[in-house]
Amino acid sequence: MLKSARKKEKDPEGRMPLAEHLRELRNRLLKSVLAICVVTIVAMFFYMDIAKFLMQPVLDAVGCDGVSLSDLSGKGSKGHDCAYFTVNGLLSPFTIMLKVSFTTGLVVATPIWLYQLWAFLAPGLHRNEKKYGLFFVGLGVPLFVAGAYFAYLILPTSAKVLIGFTPEGANNLLPLDDFLDLLARMIVVFGLAFELPLLLILLNFTGVLTGRRMLGWWRAMIMGITVFGAIATPSTDPIGMFALAGPVVVLYFGAVGVSLANDRRRARRRAADPDFGLSDDEASALDLTPEAVAAPSARPELTDGDDSGTPRRNGYDDVT
């Protein structure tokens, strides 16, 4: 069994030695890998159905229906350039099964490895920041799945555009393992890119970034997202680049809108309560405005002293 790094008494400030951090990272990684492996093994039993699900959109877009390889002359039954999926080598079918199953495990196990990522980062956060854990996992999972599904949707269009550049007289044979590698990379890239707005919102909710500062970055962000789409999209076609950059830019401005609304809400709360939003180790504001000094009382009159001859002022002894 994995030895948890949380069994010992917790430091009130969330501090841990380096060895504990490494042990915690190892445990979180092992749990994530174990979850992906379990889903991958289950997916092997449904390998044929999953492979058909992944291939069918591309076959509908560029497949050569009703045309054999011996009769193929560069034009399919649909009247346009088409292609066949091929499997090369004796071990290729087994390798393809592993790739299909692993891709399925990576996507289906998203809630688990996202939670493990958050659980590793949470001890370094303040108490009022840990409450965003459910928010992170609850939005991170659908965003990653949405990015993966978006990659699955645009791949047929990208394939149709790329196949259209085939020279006259040439035939298209698409190795299935190369196609699955391309699809897996696009799923990961699109899924992680769709997590950018969530990261910006979390930085705003934890007080690291303001919505106004994020809005001031809009030119650089659009350029950076576009360049990232051009580099990270494995298909290298402009359709894939803009298909990735467009939704991420829209999500970025959505994150800016949420952050601006949160900043206004936080400003109203702070105006009503100066101590609102303070972390556990942050001192509250002190009012150093000097107060008015009260006017001195009237000088007491001297009275007769006691038998020792010492004078007294209204019953109070002089301080010597």
Side-chain angles (χ1 to χ4, degrees):
M1 294 181 61
L2 298 177
K3 182 179 178 182
S4 174
R6 304 282 189 234
K7 295 298 184 182
K8 297 182 180 181
E9 184 178 355
K10 294 182 180 180
D11 188 280
E13 298 183 4
R15 295 174 299 186
M16 287 192 301
L18 178 60
E20 294 294 328
H21 278 293
L22 295 177
R23 186 179 295 112
E24 180 72 8
L25 177 61
R26 180 202 64 185
N27 292 347
R28 297 298 177 185
L29 287 176
L30 287 177
K31 291 177 182 178
S32 301
V33 172
L34 181 61
I36 294 175
C37 290
V38 170
V39 179
T40 299
I41 293 174
V42 174
M44 289 180 180
F45 295 95
F46 305 95
Y47 153 66
M48 291 296 181
D49 296 331
I50 298 173
K52 182 179 180 181
F53 172 77
L54 297 177
M55 296 166 53
Q56 194 61 47
V58 177
L59 287 175
D60 292 340
V62 298
C64 300
D65 295 339
V67 181
S68 64
L69 285 174
S70 58
D71 298 332
L72 189 62
S73 60
K75 299 293 181 181
S77 60
K78 295 182 179 179
H80 57 74
D81 294 311
C82 61
Y84 279 101
F85 278 118
T86 61
V87 177
N88 301 321
L90 184 62
L91 296 178
S92 293
F94 179 75
T95 305
I96 291 171
M97 181 190 68
L98 293 179
K99 291 180 179 180
V100 170
S101 302
F102 176 75
T103 303
T104 305
L106 181 66
V107 175
V108 175
T110 300
I112 298 176
W113 59 261
L114 274 180
Y115 172 77
Q116 296 300 326
L117 173 63
W118 175 261
F120 176 72
L121 298 176
L125 302 176
H126 297 297
R127 185 180 306 170
N128 63 334
E129 298 171 347
K130 294 180 181 179
K131 60 184 179 182
Y132 301 121
L134 294 178
F135 173 79
F136 175 78
V137 178
L139 280 183
V141 172
L143 283 175
F144 185 88
V145 174
Y149 186 67
F150 196 74
Y152 172 77
L153 289 180
I154 71 165
L155 190 56
T157 305
S158 300
K160 184 181 296 186
V161 172
L162 295 175
I163 292 296
F165 292 105
T166 303
E168 186 70 26
N171 299 329
N172 292 289
L173 301 178
L174 305 180
L176 184 55
D177 51 351
D178 291 345
F179 166 76
L180 293 176
D181 288 340
L182 174 65
L183 180 60
R185 282 182 289 169
M186 289 188 66
I187 286 175
V188 172
V189 168
F190 275 65
L192 294 180
F194 273 51
E195 299 288 340
L196 173 64
L198 178 61
L199 176 62
L200 294 177
I201 291 176
L202 285 176
L203 291 176
N204 175 260
F205 273 53
T206 54
V208 178
L209 284 177
T210 63
R212 185 177 296 274
R213 175 174 294 182
M214 285 189 286
L215 183 60
W217 295 345
W218 71 271
R219 295 180 181 87
M221 289 297 294
I222 292 177
M223 178 60 68
I225 292 172
T226 304
V227 173
F228 173 78
I231 297 175
T233 304
S235 59
T236 67
D237 62 290
I239 294 180
M241 178 187 70
F242 289 111
L244 173 61
V248 175
V249 169
V250 173
L251 291 174
Y252 162 72
F253 282 107
V256 171
V258 172
S259 300
L260 291 174
N262 180 63
D263 290 343
R264 288 194 293 268
R265 179 190 63 85
R266 185 178 295 169
R268 289 194 298 267
R269 293 284 300 274
R270 187 173 288 111
D273 180 12
D275 295 336
F276 169 74
L278 293 179
S279 61
D280 298 338
D281 55 355
E282 187 177 358
S284 59
L286 298 178
D287 186 6
L288 302 179
T289 305
E291 298 181 356
V293 179
S297 58
R299 181 180 179 83
E301 297 179 358
L302 293 174
T303 59
D304 295 338
D306 53 12
D307 296 339
S308 62
T310 303
R312 301 176 63 86
R313 289 191 177 96
N314 294 333
Y316 296 96
D317 293 335
D318 289 338
V319 179
T320 59

